[in-house]
Amino acid sequence: MLTHAQILNLKRWNTPTIYNGWEKITRLERTQGRFNRAPLHDFMPQMGVMAGIAVTVVCEPSNPDHPRVNPDAQRQYMQYLASVPGPKIVVVQDLDDPHIGSFWGEVNANMHRVMGCVGTVTDGCVRDLDEMANAGFHALAKHACVGHAYSTPVRWGCEVEVFGAAVRPGDLIHADKHGFLAVDEADCEHLLEAVRFMDANECGNLLALSRGAAGMGLEEYIEAYAIAVEKFKNDADEFFGKLK
């Protein structure tokens, strides 16, 4: 499990940069990563990056039976939230299609903030956007809506699927305006080291050359870029060979 300090360090980079590090250490083929396959919208892009441990919940706002079947669901769900160390990101699978009610709003955002949650990824709706932002609660969602219908926790602490990606309780979630990446514990061991290296390797080789190319002829730049790419690859192979 990543420490709070490590999670905060991972917030220093955007989600594509986290992916760059992750693809070097994962046991998966890079296209098999658990990241959004469908469009989503960052409703608070001014809040930048969010990172935390996944807590999961399923809702079905169109169904009035859920609040009657388990009238104690809210308290039980909050006890689940309390059992997981933060920072936490709530990943919500909304069973409705079309979506007619929001699990999120001013009240729920503030409650979750007290419970150590910093934001959500939901394939359903959000509302009270300004109020959620004022609570310091970041939301990536499918779209906005005006009502909450019969929105209550149906089940929680289970694997969910949002935007074509499976998310499991305890995954690291890293998200921003580009989307989200879910990383399991096995791939988190060297993630911070990998991200730091890949960012420095890009800056030291490819970006430094391109940013300093003023006055260089195009043929000279093409040759220099090929050399920089080779060094970039060799440096990465050497670093990750030792890391393993």
Side-chain angles (χ1 to χ4, degrees):
M1 179 77 70
L2 290 169
T3 66
H4 195 162
Q6 289 172 321
I7 293 172
L8 290 176
N9 269 278
L10 289 169
K11 286 186 65 178
R12 294 178 177 272
W13 295 277
N14 68 7
T15 304
T17 302
I18 301 300
Y19 173 91
N20 290 348
W22 166 84
E23 73 176 2
K24 289 294 186 181
I25 59 170
T26 183
R27 64 201 185 284
L28 302 174
E29 198 278 326
R30 66 177 64 176
T31 64
Q32 296 175 343
R34 291 182 292 125
F35 45 82
N36 54 293
R37 263 55 171 190
L40 75 172
H41 185 71
D42 184 351
F43 283 89
M44 292 89 176
Q46 73 277 11
M47 296 178 71
V49 169
M50 66 172 173
I53 301 303
V55 287
T56 61
V57 60
V58 175
C59 68
E60 189 180 21
S62 67
N63 190 337
D65 291 335
H66 292 306
R68 293 196 295 265
V69 169
N70 184 4
D72 201 33
Q74 184 69 29
R75 183 180 64 84
Q76 294 168 0
Y77 169 65
M78 291 176 70
Q79 289 174 334
Y80 159 63
L81 293 177
S83 72
V84 180
K88 292 166 273 197
I89 293 175
V90 189
V91 184
V92 184
Q93 181 177 353
D94 189 324
L95 299 179
D96 286 340
D97 185 16
H99 302 294
I100 66 166
S102 175
F103 186 82
W104 294 108
E106 181 178 16
V107 171
N108 226 10
N110 277 276
M111 179 276 282
H112 280 82
R113 203 70 178 91
V114 173
M115 302 298 292
C117 304
V118 297
T120 184
V121 176
T122 175
D123 64 358
C125 307
V126 289
R127 65 177 195 154
D128 295 337
L129 298 176
D130 293 336
E131 292 81 2
M132 289 182 70
N134 287 339
F137 200 81
H138 199 157
L140 277 68
K142 191 169 185 179
H143 54 80
C145 73
V146 298
H148 57 76
Y150 298 97
S151 189
T152 188
V154 174
R155 55 184 179 272
W156 47 88
C158 54
E159 181 174 312
V160 296
E161 183 173 326
V162 292
F163 301 104
V167 177
R168 306 176 189 109
D171 285 342
L172 169 72
I173 301 294
H174 196 284
D176 63 11
K177 61 188 176 183
H178 301 91
F180 71 90
L181 174 67
V183 183
D184 62 29
E185 190 170 355
D187 279 348
C188 281
E189 183 179 1
H190 297 296
L191 182 62
L192 184 56
E193 297 165 83
V195 172
R196 280 176 174 154
F197 174 81
M198 289 301 291
D199 186 51
N201 196 23
E202 276 190 356
C203 291
N205 286 304
L206 307 178
L207 293 177
L209 173 64
S210 294
R211 295 291 178 89
M216 220 183 243
L218 290 182
E219 287 300 324
E220 181 185 2
Y221 173 70
I222 290 169
E223 291 302 316
Y225 197 83
I227 293 170
V229 167
E230 190 65 23
K231 186 174 187 305
F232 173 83
K233 291 178 179 177
N234 290 339
D235 289 350
D237 288 345
E238 180 180 358
F239 178 83
F240 290 106
K242 292 177 180 177
L243 196 61
K244 294 175 182 177

